[in-house]
Amino acid sequence: MRAAAAGLLCLAVPAGGAFAADDEEEKPTVPNIYLDLRTIYATIPAGTLALGFGNTSLSAAFQALAAQRGTSLRNGLPAAKSIAIDLPLTVDVSDRVSLYGGVSGATTDIGGGWSSFDITSWNIGVQADLYQQNGGKIPTITLQSTLTQSVPNEQGMTNSFNNIVEFDYAVDKDETRGWLAGLQYTTVTIASPFATIRPNTILYAGGYYQWPSNWKFTGRLGMQSFGGALLAGRTLAESFTQPVLRLDLDRMDDNDNRLFGITAQIAWMPKPSYQVTLRTPLYAVRN
Protein backbone atom coordinates (compact mmCIF):
# COMPACT_ATOMS: atom_id res chain seq x y z
CA MET A 1 0.00 0.00 0.00
CA ARG A 2 2.90 2.37 0.79
CA ALA A 3 4.38 1.61 -2.65
CA ALA A 4 1.03 2.26 -4.35
CA ALA A 5 0.60 5.57 -2.48
CA ALA A 6 4.11 6.67 -3.46
CA GLY A 7 3.36 5.83 -7.08
CA LEU A 8 0.15 7.86 -7.05
CA LEU A 9 2.02 10.80 -5.48
CA CYS A 10 4.64 10.67 -8.24
CA LEU A 11 1.89 10.70 -10.89
CA ALA A 12 0.02 13.56 -9.20
CA VAL A 13 2.96 15.98 -9.08
CA PRO A 14 3.69 16.15 -12.84
CA ALA A 15 -0.02 16.10 -13.59
CA GLY A 16 -0.52 19.23 -11.51
CA GLY A 17 2.40 20.91 -13.32
CA ALA A 18 0.82 20.07 -16.66
CA PHE A 19 -2.50 21.63 -15.68
CA ALA A 20 -0.69 24.76 -14.51
CA ALA A 21 1.12 25.02 -17.84
CA ASP A 22 -2.15 24.60 -19.73
CA ASP A 23 -3.75 27.33 -17.67
CA GLU A 24 -0.82 29.61 -18.39
CA GLU A 25 -1.00 28.93 -22.14
CA GLU A 26 -4.74 29.52 -22.23
CA LYS A 27 -4.58 32.73 -20.23
CA PRO A 28 -6.19 35.38 -22.47
CA THR A 29 -4.08 38.32 -23.59
CA VAL A 30 -5.30 41.90 -23.77
CA PRO A 31 -6.24 42.72 -27.39
CA ASN A 32 -4.44 45.37 -29.42
CA ILE A 33 -6.24 48.70 -29.03
CA TYR A 34 -5.24 51.66 -31.19
CA LEU A 35 -6.33 54.61 -33.26
CA ASP A 36 -5.52 53.66 -36.85
CA LEU A 37 -4.82 57.27 -37.83
CA ARG A 38 -4.88 57.75 -41.61
CA THR A 39 -4.11 61.02 -43.39
CA ILE A 40 -5.24 61.08 -47.03
CA TYR A 41 -4.54 63.45 -49.91
CA ALA A 42 -6.63 62.82 -53.04
CA THR A 43 -7.16 64.47 -56.42
CA ILE A 44 -10.49 63.96 -58.17
CA PRO A 45 -10.91 64.63 -61.93
CA ALA A 46 -13.89 66.66 -63.12
CA GLY A 47 -17.10 64.78 -63.79
CA THR A 48 -16.36 61.74 -61.67
CA LEU A 49 -16.32 60.34 -58.15
CA ALA A 50 -13.11 59.35 -56.33
CA LEU A 51 -13.57 55.61 -56.02
CA GLY A 52 -10.94 52.90 -55.59
CA PHE A 53 -9.66 50.44 -53.01
CA GLY A 54 -11.00 50.71 -49.48
CA ASN A 55 -13.57 53.18 -48.20
CA THR A 56 -11.46 56.29 -47.54
CA SER A 57 -11.23 57.35 -51.19
CA LEU A 58 -15.00 56.91 -51.47
CA SER A 59 -15.36 59.25 -48.48
CA ALA A 60 -13.27 61.80 -50.36
CA ALA A 61 -15.83 61.60 -53.18
CA PHE A 62 -18.57 62.46 -50.73
CA GLN A 63 -16.63 65.54 -49.71
CA ALA A 64 -16.65 66.70 -53.32
CA LEU A 65 -20.41 66.19 -53.43
CA ALA A 66 -20.88 67.91 -50.06
CA ALA A 67 -18.94 70.93 -51.34
CA GLN A 68 -21.61 71.35 -54.02
CA ARG A 69 -24.35 72.16 -51.50
CA GLY A 70 -25.93 75.42 -52.49
CA THR A 71 -24.00 75.68 -55.76
CA SER A 72 -25.04 74.88 -59.30
CA LEU A 73 -24.25 71.51 -60.85
CA ARG A 74 -25.13 72.77 -64.30
CA ASN A 75 -21.65 72.00 -65.57
CA GLY A 76 -21.31 68.74 -63.64
CA LEU A 77 -18.87 67.92 -60.87
CA PRO A 78 -15.70 70.06 -61.01
CA ALA A 79 -12.19 68.79 -60.40
CA ALA A 80 -11.40 68.67 -56.69
CA LYS A 81 -8.61 68.11 -54.19
CA SER A 82 -9.24 66.73 -50.74
CA ILE A 83 -7.29 66.26 -47.50
CA ALA A 84 -9.01 63.86 -45.14
CA ILE A 85 -8.25 62.30 -41.75
CA ASP A 86 -9.73 58.97 -40.69
CA LEU A 87 -9.76 58.10 -36.97
CA PRO A 88 -11.13 54.59 -36.50
CA LEU A 89 -10.66 53.13 -33.01
CA THR A 90 -9.53 49.56 -33.72
CA VAL A 91 -9.60 46.52 -31.42
CA ASP A 92 -7.81 43.35 -32.57
CA VAL A 93 -10.01 40.90 -30.70
CA SER A 94 -7.74 38.04 -31.82
CA ASP A 95 -5.29 37.27 -34.61
CA ARG A 96 -8.39 36.52 -36.73
CA VAL A 97 -10.88 39.29 -35.92
CA SER A 98 -10.64 43.10 -35.73
CA LEU A 99 -13.45 45.54 -34.93
CA TYR A 100 -13.28 49.26 -35.68
CA GLY A 101 -15.34 52.41 -35.70
CA GLY A 102 -14.72 56.14 -35.78
CA VAL A 103 -15.12 59.43 -37.60
CA SER A 104 -13.59 61.10 -40.65
CA GLY A 105 -13.05 64.77 -41.41
CA ALA A 106 -11.97 66.58 -44.54
CA THR A 107 -11.25 69.85 -46.27
CA THR A 108 -11.89 70.19 -50.02
CA ASP A 109 -10.71 72.56 -52.75
CA ILE A 110 -12.91 72.79 -55.87
CA GLY A 111 -11.06 75.73 -57.35
CA GLY A 112 -12.06 78.52 -55.00
CA GLY A 113 -9.76 77.68 -52.09
CA TRP A 114 -9.86 75.14 -49.30
CA SER A 115 -13.05 74.74 -47.30
CA SER A 116 -13.04 74.60 -43.51
CA PHE A 117 -12.12 71.25 -41.96
CA ASP A 118 -15.29 69.48 -40.83
CA ILE A 119 -16.38 66.06 -39.60
CA THR A 120 -17.87 64.51 -42.74
CA SER A 121 -18.70 60.87 -41.89
CA TRP A 122 -18.62 58.07 -39.33
CA ASN A 123 -18.00 54.39 -39.93
CA ILE A 124 -18.10 50.99 -38.26
CA GLY A 125 -16.70 47.71 -39.56
CA VAL A 126 -15.22 44.29 -39.00
CA GLN A 127 -12.33 42.37 -40.56
CA ALA A 128 -12.19 38.61 -40.03
CA ASP A 129 -10.16 35.66 -41.31
CA LEU A 130 -12.81 33.13 -42.31
CA TYR A 131 -10.04 30.58 -42.90
CA GLN A 132 -6.30 30.64 -42.16
CA GLN A 133 -3.77 28.85 -44.37
CA ASN A 134 -1.32 27.93 -41.58
CA GLY A 135 1.04 26.13 -43.94
CA GLY A 136 -1.70 24.33 -45.87
CA LYS A 137 -2.69 24.46 -49.51
CA ILE A 138 -5.87 26.53 -49.12
CA PRO A 139 -5.18 30.30 -48.91
CA THR A 140 -6.25 32.51 -46.05
CA ILE A 141 -9.71 33.96 -46.77
CA THR A 142 -10.43 37.40 -45.26
CA LEU A 143 -13.70 39.32 -45.21
CA GLN A 144 -13.85 43.05 -44.46
CA SER A 145 -17.16 44.94 -44.23
CA THR A 146 -17.50 48.67 -43.53
CA LEU A 147 -20.60 50.82 -43.16
CA THR A 148 -20.05 54.57 -43.67
CA GLN A 149 -22.62 57.35 -43.20
CA SER A 150 -22.04 60.96 -44.16
CA VAL A 151 -22.53 63.81 -41.68
CA PRO A 152 -24.74 65.77 -41.11
CA ASN A 153 -27.83 63.54 -41.14
CA GLU A 154 -30.01 65.50 -43.56
CA GLN A 155 -31.47 65.46 -47.06
CA GLY A 156 -28.78 64.25 -49.45
CA MET A 157 -26.85 62.23 -46.85
CA THR A 158 -25.20 59.05 -48.10
CA ASN A 159 -24.76 55.53 -46.73
CA SER A 160 -22.14 53.23 -48.24
CA PHE A 161 -21.59 49.53 -47.58
CA ASN A 162 -18.15 48.32 -48.65
CA ASN A 163 -17.29 44.59 -48.73
CA ILE A 164 -13.92 43.04 -49.57
CA VAL A 165 -13.16 39.33 -49.90
CA GLU A 166 -9.42 38.61 -50.26
CA PHE A 167 -7.48 35.37 -50.79
CA ASP A 168 -3.90 35.31 -49.45
CA TYR A 169 -1.68 32.40 -50.50
CA ALA A 170 1.67 32.40 -48.63
CA VAL A 171 4.53 30.57 -50.35
CA ASP A 172 6.73 30.17 -47.24
CA LYS A 173 6.05 28.95 -43.70
CA ASP A 174 6.75 32.38 -42.17
CA GLU A 175 4.16 33.94 -44.52
CA THR A 176 6.56 36.70 -45.61
CA ARG A 177 5.96 36.12 -49.34
CA GLY A 178 2.72 35.40 -51.12
CA TRP A 179 0.06 36.13 -53.71
CA LEU A 180 -3.24 37.99 -53.36
CA ALA A 181 -6.55 37.99 -55.22
CA GLY A 182 -9.79 39.60 -54.26
CA LEU A 183 -13.11 41.28 -54.93
CA GLN A 184 -14.41 44.61 -53.60
CA TYR A 185 -18.08 45.54 -53.96
CA THR A 186 -19.48 48.90 -52.83
CA THR A 187 -23.10 50.06 -52.77
CA VAL A 188 -24.25 53.60 -51.95
CA THR A 189 -27.68 54.98 -51.08
CA ILE A 190 -28.59 58.68 -51.00
CA ALA A 191 -31.38 60.20 -48.92
CA SER A 192 -32.85 61.92 -51.95
CA PRO A 193 -35.42 60.78 -54.51
CA PHE A 194 -33.56 62.67 -57.24
CA ALA A 195 -30.04 61.19 -56.95
CA THR A 196 -28.58 57.72 -57.49
CA ILE A 197 -25.06 56.29 -57.25
CA ARG A 198 -24.77 52.85 -58.81
CA PRO A 199 -22.55 50.03 -57.41
CA ASN A 200 -18.79 49.91 -57.83
CA THR A 201 -16.86 46.63 -58.27
CA ILE A 202 -13.11 45.89 -58.29
CA LEU A 203 -11.51 42.56 -59.24
CA TYR A 204 -7.80 42.48 -58.45
CA ALA A 205 -4.67 40.39 -58.01
CA GLY A 206 -1.28 41.11 -56.43
CA GLY A 207 1.42 39.96 -54.08
CA TYR A 208 3.60 40.90 -51.12
CA TYR A 209 7.13 40.51 -49.76
CA GLN A 210 8.38 41.17 -46.22
CA TRP A 211 12.10 41.66 -45.61
CA PRO A 212 13.89 40.43 -42.43
CA SER A 213 13.98 44.09 -41.36
CA ASN A 214 10.14 43.92 -41.15
CA TRP A 215 9.53 46.31 -44.04
CA LYS A 216 6.67 44.93 -46.13
CA PHE A 217 5.74 45.78 -49.73
CA THR A 218 2.32 44.93 -51.17
CA GLY A 219 1.01 45.59 -54.68
CA ARG A 220 -2.51 45.21 -56.08
CA LEU A 221 -3.60 45.72 -59.70
CA GLY A 222 -7.24 45.42 -60.70
CA MET A 223 -10.10 46.46 -62.95
CA GLN A 224 -12.74 48.78 -61.54
CA SER A 225 -16.27 48.93 -62.93
CA PHE A 226 -18.51 51.81 -61.83
CA GLY A 227 -22.15 52.13 -62.85
CA GLY A 228 -22.26 55.94 -62.77
CA ALA A 229 -24.26 58.52 -60.82
CA LEU A 230 -27.48 60.36 -61.72
CA LEU A 231 -29.04 63.59 -60.42
CA ALA A 232 -32.62 64.42 -61.42
CA GLY A 233 -32.33 62.07 -64.40
CA ARG A 234 -29.14 63.77 -65.60
CA THR A 235 -25.73 62.07 -65.60
CA LEU A 236 -23.65 63.38 -62.72
CA ALA A 237 -20.75 60.93 -63.19
CA GLU A 238 -20.21 58.66 -66.18
CA SER A 239 -19.96 54.90 -65.85
CA PHE A 240 -16.57 53.36 -66.65
CA THR A 241 -14.44 50.22 -66.52
CA GLN A 242 -10.80 51.13 -65.96
CA PRO A 243 -7.64 49.85 -64.21
CA VAL A 244 -6.69 50.72 -60.63
CA LEU A 245 -3.28 50.29 -58.98
CA ARG A 246 -2.43 50.34 -55.27
CA LEU A 247 1.06 50.09 -53.71
CA ASP A 248 1.67 49.76 -49.95
CA LEU A 249 4.89 50.04 -47.97
CA ASP A 250 4.55 49.17 -44.26
CA ARG A 251 6.91 48.96 -41.30
CA MET A 252 5.90 46.03 -39.09
CA ASP A 253 7.15 44.83 -35.70
CA ASP A 254 8.13 41.23 -34.88
CA ASN A 255 4.48 40.38 -34.14
CA ASP A 256 3.20 41.83 -37.45
CA ASN A 257 1.71 44.95 -35.87
CA ARG A 258 1.87 47.91 -38.25
CA LEU A 259 4.06 50.75 -36.97
CA PHE A 260 3.93 52.97 -40.07
CA GLY A 261 2.55 52.73 -43.58
CA ILE A 262 2.30 54.70 -46.82
CA THR A 263 -0.09 53.88 -49.65
CA ALA A 264 -0.11 55.26 -53.20
CA GLN A 265 -3.10 54.67 -55.47
CA ILE A 266 -3.85 55.56 -59.08
CA ALA A 267 -7.37 54.94 -60.35
CA TRP A 268 -8.31 55.74 -63.95
CA MET A 269 -11.89 57.13 -64.29
CA PRO A 270 -10.92 57.32 -67.21
CA LYS A 271 -8.71 60.30 -66.24
CA PRO A 272 -6.32 59.35 -63.42
CA SER A 273 -7.22 60.07 -59.80
CA TYR A 274 -4.28 60.09 -57.37
CA GLN A 275 -4.36 59.28 -53.68
CA VAL A 276 -1.62 59.11 -51.03
CA THR A 277 -2.33 57.80 -47.53
CA LEU A 278 -0.10 57.91 -44.43
CA ARG A 279 -0.93 55.40 -41.68
CA THR A 280 0.45 56.20 -38.24
CA PRO A 281 -1.28 53.93 -35.67
CA LEU A 282 -1.45 55.30 -32.11
CA TYR A 283 -1.38 52.28 -29.77
CA ALA A 284 -3.00 52.20 -26.34
CA VAL A 285 -2.17 48.46 -26.09
CA ARG A 286 0.25 46.63 -28.41
CA ASN A 287 1.03 42.93 -27.99
Side-chain angles (χ1 to χ4, degrees):
M1 291 182 64
R2 285 198 296 269
L8 289 173
L9 182 61
C10 290
L11 289 173
V13 171
F19 282 122
D22 289 342
D23 290 342
E24 184 176 349
E25 290 176 1
E26 294 175 4
K27 183 180 179 180
T29 58
V30 178
N32 285 343
I33 302 174
Y34 56 98
L35 279 174
D36 193 10
L37 174 62
R38 298 190 289 262
T39 305
I40 307 110
Y41 173 79
T43 64
I44 309 166
T48 190
L49 299 179
L51 305 170
F53 287 107
N55 66 311
T56 52
S57 57
L58 192 58
S59 297
F62 296 156
Q63 315 327 318
L65 283 174
Q68 302 304 314
R69 292 173 182 162
T71 64
S72 172
L73 290 171
R74 191 171 304 162
N75 298 321
L77 285 171
K81 295 178 288 186
S82 178
I83 297 175
I85 294 178
D86 285 348
L87 279 172
L89 177 64
T90 305
V91 179
D92 294 337
V93 179
S94 68
D95 63 344
R96 300 178 66 119
V97 178
S98 295
L99 305 175
Y100 54 89
V103 297
S104 301
T107 173
T108 305
D109 180 9
I110 58 173
W114 292 94
S115 64
S116 59
F117 186 90
D118 295 312
I119 300 299
T120 53
S121 65
W122 60 263
N123 63 78
I124 57 173
V126 58
Q127 179 173 312
D129 289 346
L130 305 181
Y131 178 85
Q132 290 186 330
Q133 181 178 354
N134 291 330
K137 298 298 183 182
I138 300 176
T140 296
I141 303 173
T142 301
L143 171 66
Q144 182 179 9
S145 296
T146 306
L147 173 65
T148 302
Q149 184 180 100
S150 63
V151 175
N153 188 348
E154 61 182 24
Q155 183 76 9
M157 63 169 283
T158 58
N159 285 290
S160 72
F161 192 41
N162 188 61
N163 294 285
I164 302 172
V165 177
E166 185 169 88
F167 300 85
D168 176 352
Y169 184 77
V171 299
D172 64 340
K173 65 178 182 179
D174 293 329
E175 299 183 352
T176 59
R177 294 177 289 125
W179 302 101
L180 301 171
L183 167 69
Q184 175 180 299
Y185 183 74
T186 307
T187 58
V188 181
T189 59
I190 304 180
S192 169
F194 307 108
T196 302
I197 297 180
R198 296 192 174 119
N200 183 64
T201 305
I202 300 177
L203 281 171
Y204 65 91
Y208 58 90
Y209 182 86
Q210 184 169 332
W211 287 270
S213 60
N214 285 335
W215 283 97
K216 182 178 182 179
F217 174 78
T218 306
R220 295 175 177 87
L221 176 63
M223 291 297 295
Q224 177 175 221
S225 180
F226 174 51
L230 301 175
L231 178 65
R234 185 165 54 89
T235 299
L236 183 64
E238 296 283 353
S239 61
F240 62 82
T241 299
Q242 294 287 339
V244 56
L245 173 67
R246 171 175 161 174
L247 304 174
D248 295 89
L249 181 64
D250 296 295
R251 180 72 165 91
M252 317 296 287
D253 65 12
D254 291 336
N255 295 311
D256 278 343
N257 298 307
R258 180 182 289 106
L259 302 178
F260 169 81
I262 183 169
T263 298
Q265 176 179 274
I266 305 175
W268 286 265
M269 306 182 184
K271 292 182 179 180
S273 171
Y274 302 97
Q275 181 175 297
V276 177
T277 303
L278 293 179
R279 300 185 69 170
T280 49
L282 304 175
Y283 286 90
V285 178
R286 177 162 63 94
N287 292 315

